[in-house]
Protein backbone atom coordinates (compact mmCIF):
# COMPACT_ATOMS: atom_id res chain seq x y z
CA UNK A 1 0.00 0.00 0.00
CA UNK A 2 1.32 3.45 -0.80
CA UNK A 3 2.00 5.74 2.11
CA UNK A 4 -0.59 8.43 1.28
CA UNK A 5 -3.61 9.85 3.03
CA UNK A 6 -6.84 7.96 2.49
CA UNK A 7 -9.32 9.64 0.15
CA UNK A 8 -11.78 9.27 3.04
CA UNK A 9 -9.63 11.88 4.82
CA UNK A 10 -9.32 14.23 1.86
CA UNK A 11 -12.49 13.87 -0.26
CA UNK A 12 -14.89 16.75 0.11
CA UNK A 13 -17.33 15.65 -2.57
CA UNK A 14 -19.14 12.35 -2.31
CA UNK A 15 -18.90 9.85 -5.12
CA UNK A 16 -21.95 8.60 -6.99
CA UNK A 17 -23.39 5.32 -5.76
CA UNK A 18 -21.52 2.50 -7.53
CA UNK A 19 -24.69 0.38 -7.44
CA UNK A 20 -27.44 2.75 -8.64
CA UNK A 21 -25.34 5.51 -10.19
CA UNK A 22 -27.30 8.24 -8.39
CA UNK A 23 -26.07 11.05 -6.16
CA UNK A 24 -25.15 10.32 -2.54
CA UNK A 25 -25.01 14.00 -1.58
CA UNK A 26 -27.85 13.85 0.96
CA UNK A 27 -27.64 10.16 1.87
CA UNK A 28 -27.48 9.29 5.56
CA UNK A 29 -26.18 5.83 4.67
CA UNK A 30 -23.19 6.85 2.48
CA UNK A 31 -20.20 4.54 2.58
CA UNK A 32 -16.78 4.88 0.95
CA UNK A 33 -15.08 1.63 -0.06
CA UNK A 34 -11.41 1.20 -0.85
CA UNK A 35 -10.40 -1.69 -3.11
CA UNK A 36 -6.80 -2.83 -3.52
CA UNK A 37 -4.94 -5.83 -4.85
CA UNK A 38 -1.66 -7.40 -3.73
CA UNK A 39 1.28 -6.19 -5.80
CA UNK A 40 -0.61 -3.19 -7.23
CA UNK A 41 0.35 0.20 -5.75
CA UNK A 42 -2.98 1.88 -6.50
CA UNK A 43 -6.40 1.80 -4.90
CA UNK A 44 -9.88 2.19 -6.35
CA UNK A 45 -12.42 4.13 -4.27
CA UNK A 46 -16.15 3.58 -4.62
CA UNK A 47 -19.05 5.38 -3.00
CA UNK A 48 -22.37 3.71 -2.29
CA UNK A 49 -25.65 3.89 -0.45
CA UNK A 50 -25.32 1.21 2.25
CA UNK A 51 -28.85 -0.02 1.50
CA UNK A 52 -27.98 -0.56 -2.16
CA UNK A 53 -24.66 -2.19 -1.31
CA UNK A 54 -26.38 -4.58 1.08
CA UNK A 55 -28.72 -5.55 -1.77
CA UNK A 56 -25.83 -6.84 -3.90
CA UNK A 57 -23.45 -8.31 -1.31
CA UNK A 58 -23.17 -12.07 -0.90
CA UNK A 59 -25.25 -13.72 1.82
CA UNK A 60 -23.59 -13.26 5.19
CA UNK A 61 -22.02 -9.89 4.36
CA UNK A 62 -23.60 -6.59 5.28
CA UNK A 63 -22.74 -2.95 5.79
CA UNK A 64 -23.93 -0.97 8.79
CA UNK A 65 -23.61 2.80 9.12
CA UNK A 66 -22.89 4.24 12.55
CA UNK A 67 -22.90 7.99 12.99
CA UNK A 68 -19.91 9.24 14.89
Amino acid sequence: MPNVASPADTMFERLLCCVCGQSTADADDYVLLGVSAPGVPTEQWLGAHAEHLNGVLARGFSVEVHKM
Side-chain angles (χ1 to χ4, degrees):
M1 291 291 225
N3 189 11
V4 296
S6 163
D9 295 332
T10 59
M11 270 188 202
F12 296 105
E13 291 187 39
R14 292 182 176 197
L15 299 173
L16 295 177
C17 179
C18 66
V19 179
C20 73
Q22 300 299 310
S23 174
T24 59
D26 296 326
D28 289 334
D29 66 340
Y30 178 72
V31 294
L32 182 63
L33 307 167
V35 181
S36 63
V40 179
T42 58
E43 294 175 313
Q44 174 68 55
W45 292 90
L46 305 168
H49 297 103
E51 179 180 3
H52 295 165
L53 189 58
N54 283 330
V56 298
L57 289 174
R59 183 176 293 144
F61 290 90
S62 65
V63 173
E64 292 182 20
V65 177
H66 300 272
K67 293 186 180 187
M68 305 297 272

